[in-house]
Amino acid sequence: IMAGMAHARARWDEHHAAAVDESIPHPLRHRASHGNRLSEDADATAASLAEDVVFHSPVVFAPYRGRVAVGGLLRCVMRVFTEFRYTDELRSNGQTALAFTARVGGRDLEGIDLITVDASGLVAHLTVMVRPMSAAIALAEAMRAEIAKQMAS
């Protein structure tokens, strides 16, 4: 059974590896470099956020609000994620789901950025979901350390 699941997953990955339509730039995906990694231009990424953006974290219950707060968190994410790559994009009724893979703390992570943009094309709502739980825990620990380091400097 496991071999069959691995084979099916490999076929799914192969089929969807090129599924992201680069001709329709999404505000966050647009900031990805040619290597399909998060851009190191944190200011440009923050500029794609609405002033009153609402961010729902995968590891914190209460949402973060505002470009300054959310932009700061995304800067931290850019430092803790390695091998970040958007792998798929789904759109429906004003929402976009960007599937991604990354590594954090030596763990492989899969996730979804669920995004709503405002009339200006800026990100108004961002909800991030990640799996598996071990990677979500590693993400929470890495973010806690990165935020503490950021606040100390």
Side-chain angles (χ1 to χ4, degrees):
I1 292 176
M2 295 304 284
M5 289 175 64
H7 177 70
R9 174 59 193 248
R11 291 192 61 205
W12 172 269
D13 289 345
E14 180 181 296
H15 173 73
H16 291 284
V20 175
D21 183 356
E22 296 293 335
S23 69
I24 307 170
H26 185 277
L28 289 183
R29 187 171 47 75
H30 179 70
R31 301 297 178 203
S33 70
H34 289 94
N36 204 20
R37 296 176 301 143
L38 278 181
S39 170
E40 293 181 7
D41 186 352
D43 292 335
T45 299
S48 70
L49 304 173
E51 215 34 70
D52 59 349
V53 63
V54 177
F55 171 65
H56 294 273
S57 164
V59 295
V60 177
F61 179 74
Y64 295 92
R65 298 178 185 277
R67 180 184 289 159
V68 173
V70 175
L73 288 170
L74 292 178
R75 283 178 177 86
C76 290
V77 169
M78 289 178 190
R79 289 189 290 271
V80 301
F81 276 171
T82 60
E83 301 177 35
F84 181 90
R85 187 170 158 262
Y86 281 121
T87 58
D88 208 349
E89 179 173 342
L90 307 166
R91 291 180 181 231
S92 174
N93 299 328
Q95 284 194 316
T96 301
L98 297 175
F100 64 87
T101 59
R103 289 188 55 80
V104 62
R107 299 210 179 259
D108 290 328
L109 175 139
E110 294 177 304
I112 298 282
D113 288 341
L114 183 59
I115 302 158
T116 304
V117 296
D118 64 14
S120 302
L122 298 174
V123 176
H125 291 93
L126 171 60
T127 299
V128 178
M129 295 169 267
V130 298
R131 67 161 304 278
M133 183 186 286
S134 59
I137 291 168
L139 174 60
E141 291 169 354
M143 286 296 291
R144 185 177 10 246
E146 186 62 36
I147 290 168
K149 185 168 50 168
Q150 185 75 17
M151 293 182 77
S153 60

